Amino acid sequence: MQPTWHILGPGAIGSLFACHLQRAGFPVVLIGRKASPSPTSILLQEGDHTQSFCFECDDGQRPITHLLITVKAHQTDAALRPLKHRLGADSLIVLMQNGMGAWETVQQYCPETVCLLATTTEGANRPAPGQVIHGGSGTTYVGALAPDLQACAHQLCAQWSGLGLNLQEDQAILRQLWQKLAINCAINPLTVMYDCPNGALLSNAEALATMEKVCKEVETVMTHALREPAADLFELAKTVATRTGHNRSSMLQDVTCGRETEIDYITGFLLREAKRFNLNCPQNQALYDQIKR
Ligand SMILES: NC(=O)c1ccc[n+]([C@@H]2O[C@H](COP(=O)([O-])OP(=O)(O)OC[C@H]3O[C@@H](n4cnc5c(N)ncnc54)[C@H](OP(=O)(O)O)[C@@H]3O)[C@@H](O)[C@H]2O)c1
């Protein structure tokens, strides 16, 4: 029998995975906010194809064996706290979100569970409750923080191989997460400062100069954290800004809608790591302060 997957945070990415898991034969239960209960049905649009999925409501009682967390990083604490008594040594948690550091919350509330990390370049948006558009295909990388849990990441990739999404086991998931963090540090706060789509940063000399300084600082911290030389992050950030030129970053969307941003788990995480290694990141600190303001 297929295990039941609980999805904590049935937003754009959570709903996308919920639909694909159910289509692949897994029972799926959505867990939303108490104040705004999760939808019981989702209409998934992928290209010209639209399909409707119905989901079971969470009964709030049953032990949870498989949990996919897709709330935003800063929402992890409030979302996970009420579930901690339902998670134990037999539970598997997959943390799939932008930013780094929310695994500390998982370790705090569920120290016995196996926690895997995932990062995705799938693109999804939720124009209305119960409606999700899979706007762009990408790759989802899955790995473990601790080397002894790598076998669990391998098993998960095998279990999810029929999802119809591009999945990759990554034995160096931390490097993958750091690279995504670097791109987020380089692009997201600047799109807020200049109130522009990603690509517009490339034709703005002032923004580009700041982006280069941001990337140099991230490279230094990343080299200390991973104990290996970092890639040329400025080139990487420019490539991503070109490829996603028309996109408005998630941070810009959050600020525009008056929502809290993920800055504490993006630039904030970088600054905490910099402090651990006695490094200064004045450019990132300035952007962090401006976004917080
Ligand atoms: N969307 C993408 O294309 C994409 C791509 C790559 C990575 N990501 C990352 O994936 C993560 C999720 O992004 P998203 O776009 O899916 O965000 P989202 O649509 O806002 O989804 C977050 C979901 O979590 C729910 N939630 C918030 N607090 C909760 C709580 N206490 N308990 C239960 N549920 C709670 C939200 O409910 P409400 O609706 O009530 O707020 C919402 O359904 C983020 O870290 C994002 O950066 C997104």
Side-chain angles (χ1 to χ4, degrees):
M1 207 173 82
Q2 301 281 42
T4 297
W5 275 93
H6 285 75
I7 313 280
L8 180 59
I13 284 293
S15 299
L16 175 71
F17 274 80
C19 295
H20 278 261
L21 279 162
Q22 196 189 83
R23 194 189 274 158
F26 294 92
V28 175
V29 178
L30 307 182
I31 309 177
R33 255 193 251 262
K34 281 223 162 57
S36 58
S38 48
T40 49
S41 69
I42 290 174
L43 198 64
L44 173 68
Q45 189 184 325
E46 297 186 289
D48 295 337
H49 185 72
T50 302
Q51 191 177 352
S52 179
F53 296 84
C54 289
F55 295 97
E56 199 185 316
C57 289
D58 182 43
D59 67 1
Q61 305 290 330
R62 261 181 302 169
I64 296 173
T65 59
H66 293 71
L67 182 68
L68 173 61
I69 302 183
T70 50
V71 293
K72 291 186 171 173
H74 58 269
Q75 298 167 332
T76 312
D77 189 298
L80 193 58
R81 203 177 327 128
L83 302 184
K84 60 181 184 184
H85 65 285
R86 298 171 62 191
L87 292 151
D90 294 336
S91 309
L92 168 69
I93 293 182
V94 180
L95 193 58
M96 186 185 294
Q97 50 192 200
N98 273 351
M100 292 175 79
W103 55 73
E104 285 163 13
T105 306
V106 177
Q107 277 159 2
Q108 181 192 344
Y109 291 135
C110 319
E112 297 165 349
T113 58
V114 172
C115 179
L116 299 179
L117 304 176
T119 176
T120 187
T121 56
E122 296 289 350
N125 62 79
R126 194 173 41 146
Q131 196 186 341
V132 173
I133 299 175
H134 187 189
S137 295
T139 303
T140 302
Y141 301 90
V142 180
L145 260 187
D148 56 324
L149 296 182
Q150 203 56 50
C152 300
H154 186 72
Q155 279 168 14
L156 180 78
C157 288
Q159 192 195 95
W160 280 8
S161 60
L163 251 53
L165 296 170
N166 188 15
L167 209 74
Q168 218 166 290
E169 181 186 341
D170 191 339
Q171 299 199 352
I173 192 74
L174 262 188
R175 191 192 307 140
Q176 191 73 245
L177 289 168
W178 264 102
Q179 282 198 358
K180 182 113 191 229
L181 185 100
I183 292 162
N184 284 330
C185 285
I187 295 178
N188 290 17
L190 285 172
T191 60
V192 175
M193 300 320 302
Y194 292 98
D195 190 12
C196 67
N198 299 353
L201 297 174
L202 299 167
S203 52
N204 176 334
E206 190 183 74
L208 212 53
T210 307
M211 191 192 281
E212 185 166 15
K213 287 187 209 151
V214 164
C215 289
K216 285 277 165 266
E217 291 177 4
V218 179
E219 260 173 46
T220 307
V221 180
M222 190 170 160
T223 302
H224 278 74
L226 295 178
R227 296 201 202 114
E228 62 181 39
D232 185 338
L233 298 177
F234 184 44
E235 278 309 313
L236 193 63
K238 282 190 292 186
T239 305
V240 173
T242 306
R243 208 179 54 225
T244 60
H246 296 295
N247 291 6
R248 287 166 66 80
S249 74
S250 57
M251 194 173 285
L252 178 56
Q253 290 180 42
D254 284 340
V255 168
T256 308
C257 297
R259 295 188 296 248
E260 191 179 337
T261 71
E262 294 185 282
I263 190 84
D264 279 321
Y265 291 84
I266 297 176
T267 312
F269 177 84
L270 175 87
L271 295 173
R272 290 193 290 282
E273 286 291 283
K275 198 168 170 195
R276 199 158 69 86
F277 298 113
N278 272 326
L279 297 167
N280 283 325
C281 295
Q283 195 60 73
N284 279 283
Q285 183 71 56
L287 287 175
Y288 176 82
D289 293 342
Q290 277 166 318
I291 297 292
K292 289 301 266 187
R293 236 180 277 136

